[in-house]
Amino acid sequence: MATPYTGDPVLGTNGVISESFAKQFTDLPAELLEHILCFPVLNHIDICNVSCTCKRLHDVCHGRGKVWAHQYKLRWPRLQRFYQQNESYDWLKEFKTRHMVGQQIRRTVESISKRFFTEVLRLDRYIYMVLGDSFAEIESLGAPEHFCEDELLGILNSDKRKCLTLKYYAKKILYFLRQQNILRNLRGFLERPPEQQSALEGAVLVDRCCNPLADITLESISAQIEELTDKVKKYLRVKNATHPSLRASQGDCFVLENLEFERQVICALNAVLYDQLQYKGNERDYYNPLNSYIHQVLLRRTGIPISLSVLYMTLARKLGVPLEPVNFPNHFLLRWCQNQRRSEDIYDYVYIDTFGKGKQLAAKECENLIRHQVGADYYSAISTSELLLRMVGNLLNIGKRGEGNEKSYQLLRDSLDLYLTINPDNVQYLLLQARLYFHLGIWPEKVLDILQHIQALDPSQHGAVGYLVQHTLEHIQHKRHPVEPEVKRRSVPEHRDVLYSVGLIMKHKRSGYNCVIYGWDPKCTMSQEWINTMRVHQLSKGADQPFYNVLVQDGTCRYAAQENLEPHSAPLEIAHPEVGRYFTEFSDTHYIANEELQAHYPEDMCKTHRTVEELYHGLNPNSGQPPEPTANFQDHDLLDP
């Protein structure tokens, strides 16, 4: 005879936890309960529910205990480096604060796309405004800055193909936040006494400010410098096993008193850097901004005179040779005193050309580098802040030489911010910054502030200032009456010749590049000058055919004629920095337009889905059957007539 079912020993007959089990469970030692409640399957909601069941479990789940510490570490592992192991923290409070910061950051990021899709050049102004409001609320929570950064990194590190628009704006906000923090650090660095301003640390700050999303730290750069120092010591030990520099420990600050010992260090330094490691001046690509970034100099083993000089001087000083930077025109140098310290005589120095493999020059031999004579002032040593101004000035010139694309504008703006942080009253660069912002149409209120500052510094600039003030005020007035964005529907008769739709992955028939469509015009809308320059008249249909705005795999944006485009036979992701501005997801065969782009082209995504089905999924949209072998793209209105 079967035994009647009396219920689960844990769950009663009605599925509710039995009182006997609950009592047995809560009677367990606190350490064991903590261990159980730290199982990975339990999340923060589970712990909240458990802590509400009885006083015993509420006490076990107290804010400073292991349970909430585990939940915090499980949810935000990147933040662990900000906590000391032996310190006590209210983990429940930390959890709540971090959670609220995350919600506020996501609301902020999501709001940007809706307001600034059509005017992305004004995004910087909006970031200042919206972050001002959002971070006032975040600051009221008493949250540290790294909570905000962690949430943004969490967005950026999520599913690679999804949430592209969210990631696009999260990246811009992270860029902005990090850069502002680096500029604050630079101001603090410049407030130190000159003897506490390391050229290496200053160069790292410049590097980080221009590359705020890269993982660059003074610690990592210093570690690489130490490795180089050890290599030089190893070489030096072979040449002179009793050399005093070999006895110096990491971090020691000392100066060799013997010129022969100094000469041995310089020889070892040249042998290791230029012969063993093949460091060299980048003559072929001199105006590449990477030559100015110290982390890239170490990675690529090439640079320009000033960046190589910072590296060389840092290594020499660590080995006891006090080299000094010299702001020589067109070719940065180092000088090495051969006589008494602090000599004013330029002939008491040897000048080292780090761009020329450490070649040593006498005073007047330096003039051969630039092919004209200079006065004695150009042979003087300069301060770290002057060195940084020269370094940033190089980047400014590279930005001004750029092609007028987003990358060159970004470099110009970054280097201007740096220059004016170091030298805030330079009228020439303040005026350049005002003109740049005015040209890009961003942050007109900031332009007015800059112009007011220029007028106070130099009243003789009233002509240029007055012109920019007038046009900036007109720009502000115009923006108070924004124009509604144009909506383009495929169904209207004048758009009947438009074959392709936003989100399709295309290939250019002539140039061979891969791209994605993010906009179109039924006819070419560019100026006659552009049409003539691009030889549009040589196309079979000239300018009287649809043209498409495309994001190209190489990072450029182009305007392509319909007859030159065809759907890609094997669709692939387009690695373009602006993809997230227009699309929210890559779906194996095409991009899905975000809400803002769909508002401009409300009928395009349906067309894109039909095209994708026909091209890649082998279905005839009318019959539901695979297409016949003789079918071609023309039958489905996909290629040019």
Side-chain angles (χ1 to χ4, degrees):
M1 182 175 178
T3 304
Y5 177 70
T6 58
D8 187 279
V10 176
L11 299 178
T13 54
N14 58 358
V16 178
I17 293 177
S18 64
E19 290 185 14
S20 60
F21 175 79
K23 188 174 187 312
Q24 291 173 13
F25 181 73
T26 54
D27 284 345
L28 292 173
E31 292 82 0
L32 185 54
L33 286 172
E34 286 180 332
H35 181 74
I36 294 170
L37 294 174
C38 286
F39 278 15
V41 294
L42 300 176
N43 61 27
H44 64 286
I45 297 175
D46 298 321
I47 300 304
C48 287
N49 291 334
V50 166
S51 66
C52 292
T53 56
C54 65
K55 185 177 183 305
R56 168 68 169 156
L57 291 178
H58 182 271
D59 292 342
V60 171
C61 298
H62 66 92
R64 293 185 175 273
K66 292 181 180 178
V67 177
W68 278 109
H70 172 75
Q71 284 297 321
Y72 188 88
K73 293 170 185 176
L74 199 65
R75 183 84 177 272
W76 298 294
R78 283 189 299 267
L79 294 177
Q80 295 315 298
R81 61 193 177 94
F82 295 102
Y83 296 94
Q84 301 295 326
Q85 285 189 347
N86 299 326
E87 292 290 327
S88 174
Y89 299 95
D90 188 335
W91 293 107
L92 177 55
K93 181 181 178 183
E94 293 287 300
F95 193 103
K96 289 179 178 178
T97 304
R98 172 62 183 83
H99 180 70
M100 287 188 284
V101 167
Q103 289 182 315
Q104 181 62 40
I105 287 291
R106 283 185 178 265
R107 284 195 294 268
T108 299
V109 177
E110 289 167 358
S111 71
I112 292 179
S113 179
K114 293 178 175 58
R115 293 188 57 177
F116 271 79
F117 173 76
T118 58
E119 299 182 81
V120 77
L121 286 177
R122 295 174 62 222
L123 182 60
D124 296 71
R125 174 196 175 200
Y126 182 61
I127 286 178
Y128 272 96
M129 289 163 41
V130 76
L131 291 188
D133 296 338
S134 297
F135 281 87
E137 183 176 334
I138 290 170
E139 286 175 2
S140 70
L141 301 174
E145 286 183 8
H146 53 259
F147 278 15
C148 306
E149 181 168 316
D150 186 67
E151 183 64 29
L152 293 168
L153 287 171
I155 294 172
L156 292 173
N157 293 331
S158 59
D159 191 332
K160 180 183 177 184
R161 296 184 170 192
K162 296 183 178 180
C163 303
L164 301 181
T165 300
L166 199 65
K167 291 176 184 176
Y168 175 80
Y169 291 103
K171 187 174 182 180
K172 287 190 173 294
I173 293 175
L174 183 60
Y175 192 104
F176 168 83
L177 290 176
R178 283 190 174 179
Q179 193 171 68
Q180 293 305 303
N181 189 45
I182 294 163
L183 288 172
R184 283 196 298 271
N185 292 340
L186 178 59
R187 292 186 193 100
F189 172 83
L190 295 169
E191 289 172 0
R192 299 181 199 165
E195 63 273 12
Q196 295 179 20
Q197 295 177 3
S198 152
L200 179 68
E201 185 176 352
V204 170
L205 284 167
V206 169
D207 190 347
R208 290 178 60 210
C209 193
C210 293
N211 303 281
L213 298 180
D215 186 17
I216 305 165
T217 64
L218 179 60
E219 292 73 22
S220 63
I221 299 298
S222 297
Q224 294 178 68
I225 295 293
E226 285 300 329
E227 290 178 10
L228 289 175
T229 305
D230 290 341
K231 290 183 189 312
V232 178
K233 284 183 176 181
K234 183 178 179 180
Y235 183 93
L236 193 58
R237 186 173 288 108
V238 173
K239 298 296 181 180
N240 183 357
T242 62
H243 195 286
S245 295
L246 301 176
R247 298 193 295 271
S249 302
Q250 183 175 333
D252 284 358
C253 184
F254 72 102
V255 175
L256 293 170
E257 298 296 336
N258 184 294
L259 190 61
E260 176 57 25
F261 286 150
E262 290 186 8
R263 187 191 63 77
Q264 291 173 10
V265 168
I266 296 297
C267 289
L269 192 49
N270 287 342
V272 171
L273 275 186
Y274 300 112
D275 297 336
Q276 290 184 10
L277 301 178
Q278 297 291 298
Y279 276 79
K280 60 184 178 181
N282 195 344
E283 295 179 352
R284 291 185 179 180
D285 195 14
Y286 191 89
Y287 294 102
N288 188 330
L290 299 183
N291 294 325
S292 295
Y293 305 143
I294 194 68
H295 85 281
Q296 288 289 345
V297 172
L298 290 165
L299 179 66
R300 299 159 68 237
R301 299 186 182 183
T302 188
I304 53 176
I306 192 167
S307 57
L308 290 170
S309 291
V310 169
L311 173 61
Y312 194 104
M313 177 174 63
T314 301
L315 290 169
R317 288 184 175 182
K318 291 181 77 66
L319 294 165
V321 183
L323 301 182
E324 297 174 300
V326 176
N327 203 13
F328 203 71
N330 301 323
H331 200 106
F332 202 86
L333 297 170
L334 297 174
R335 71 178 193 179
W336 171 27
C337 189
Q338 305 293 295
N339 205 328
Q340 61 183 5
R341 302 293 179 198
R342 302 293 179 187
S343 172
E344 297 297 326
D345 189 343
I346 64 172
Y347 295 101
D348 283 341
Y349 292 87
V350 164
Y351 298 86
I352 298 175
D353 177 13
T354 59
F355 192 79
K357 296 188 175 183
K359 185 177 180 180
Q360 297 176 18
L361 305 167
K364 286 303 174 181
E365 288 179 312
C366 299
E367 295 175 353
N368 296 331
L369 296 171
I370 56 175
R371 297 177 182 176
H372 64 79
Q373 294 182 338
V374 296
D377 290 346
Y378 288 103
Y379 292 89
S380 301
I382 59 170
S383 66
T384 298
S385 60
E386 290 171 315
L387 181 148
L388 296 181
L389 281 176
R390 171 81 175 254
M391 180 175 279
V392 174
N394 289 338
L395 290 169
L396 265 170
N397 289 329
I398 295 170
K400 287 189 283 188
R401 288 168 59 99
E403 301 173 355
N405 55 27
E406 185 181 354
K407 187 177 290 187
S408 61
Y409 280 135
Q410 188 65 60
L411 176 60
L412 187 55
R413 290 171 55 201
D414 291 344
S415 50
L416 271 172
D417 285 344
L418 275 167
Y419 198 99
L420 292 170
T421 297
I422 303 168
N423 186 7
D425 294 335
N426 186 293
V427 171
Q428 174 190 353
Y429 287 120
L430 282 168
L431 197 55
L432 176 60
Q433 186 179 54
R435 284 172 172 158
L436 177 66
Y437 282 12
F438 176 78
H439 172 72
L440 295 177
I442 59 175
W443 211 4
E445 295 83 1
K446 176 67 173 178
V447 173
L448 293 178
D449 289 342
I450 296 170
L451 294 173
Q452 186 177 12
H453 185 44
I454 293 171
Q455 189 66 38
L457 290 171
D458 185 2
S460 68
Q461 297 288 339
H462 62 87
V465 169
Y467 173 85
L468 286 172
V469 166
Q470 178 185 344
H471 286 80
T472 301
L473 290 172
E474 291 174 359
H475 176 74
I476 293 172
Q477 187 65 29
H478 175 71
K479 289 302 178 184
R480 288 174 181 167
H481 307 284
V483 179
E484 287 296 319
E486 181 183 4
V487 175
K488 296 180 180 178
R489 298 185 182 275
R490 309 183 66 82
S491 55
V492 300
E494 55 265 35
H495 296 161
R496 64 180 178 273
D497 294 332
V498 179
L499 300 182
Y500 307 130
S501 50
V502 298
L504 285 178
I505 310 297
M506 310 297 288
K507 190 177 186 70
H508 197 277
K509 295 178 184 178
R510 296 185 179 183
S511 302
Y513 61 71
N514 304 320
C515 59
V516 57
I517 296 172
Y518 70 94
W520 49 260
D521 297 308
K523 311 292 180 190
C524 181
T525 60
M526 300 298 278
S527 66
Q528 190 60 47
E529 181 183 359
W530 185 90
I531 289 172
N532 293 338
T533 302
M534 302 305 292
R535 301 177 182 176
V536 174
H537 60 278
Q538 294 183 5
L539 297 172
S540 62
K541 291 193 174 183
D544 190 27
Q545 63 175 306
F547 272 70
Y548 297 85
N549 303 103
V550 295
L551 302 176
V552 184
Q553 187 80 33
D554 63 6
T556 60
C557 302
R558 303 193 189 184
Y559 196 51
Q562 181 164 280
E563 68 179 73
N564 281 336
L565 293 175
E566 62 183 357
H568 203 289
S569 59
L572 70 167
E573 287 186 80
I574 303 299
H576 192 287
E578 294 294 300
V579 160
R581 181 184 169 193
Y582 303 101
F583 304 102
T584 187
E585 182 179 341
F586 178 68
S587 183
D588 293 323
T589 53
H590 64 286
Y591 279 91
I592 299 173
N594 59 24
E595 292 180 14
E596 292 71 39
L597 187 60
Q598 288 192 47
H600 283 267
Y601 301 92
E603 299 170 354
D604 267 44
M605 284 316 297
C606 289
K607 171 65 173 173
T608 298
H609 288 136
R610 288 199 305 271
T611 303
V612 166
E613 285 295 318
E614 296 169 23
L615 280 172
Y616 310 119
H617 297 162
L619 293 177
N620 185 316
N622 298 320
S623 66
Q625 299 298 320
E628 296 178 10
T630 56
N632 54 37
F633 290 139
Q634 284 89 340
D635 295 329
H636 301 288
D637 291 334
L638 293 175
L639 290 188
D640 52 305

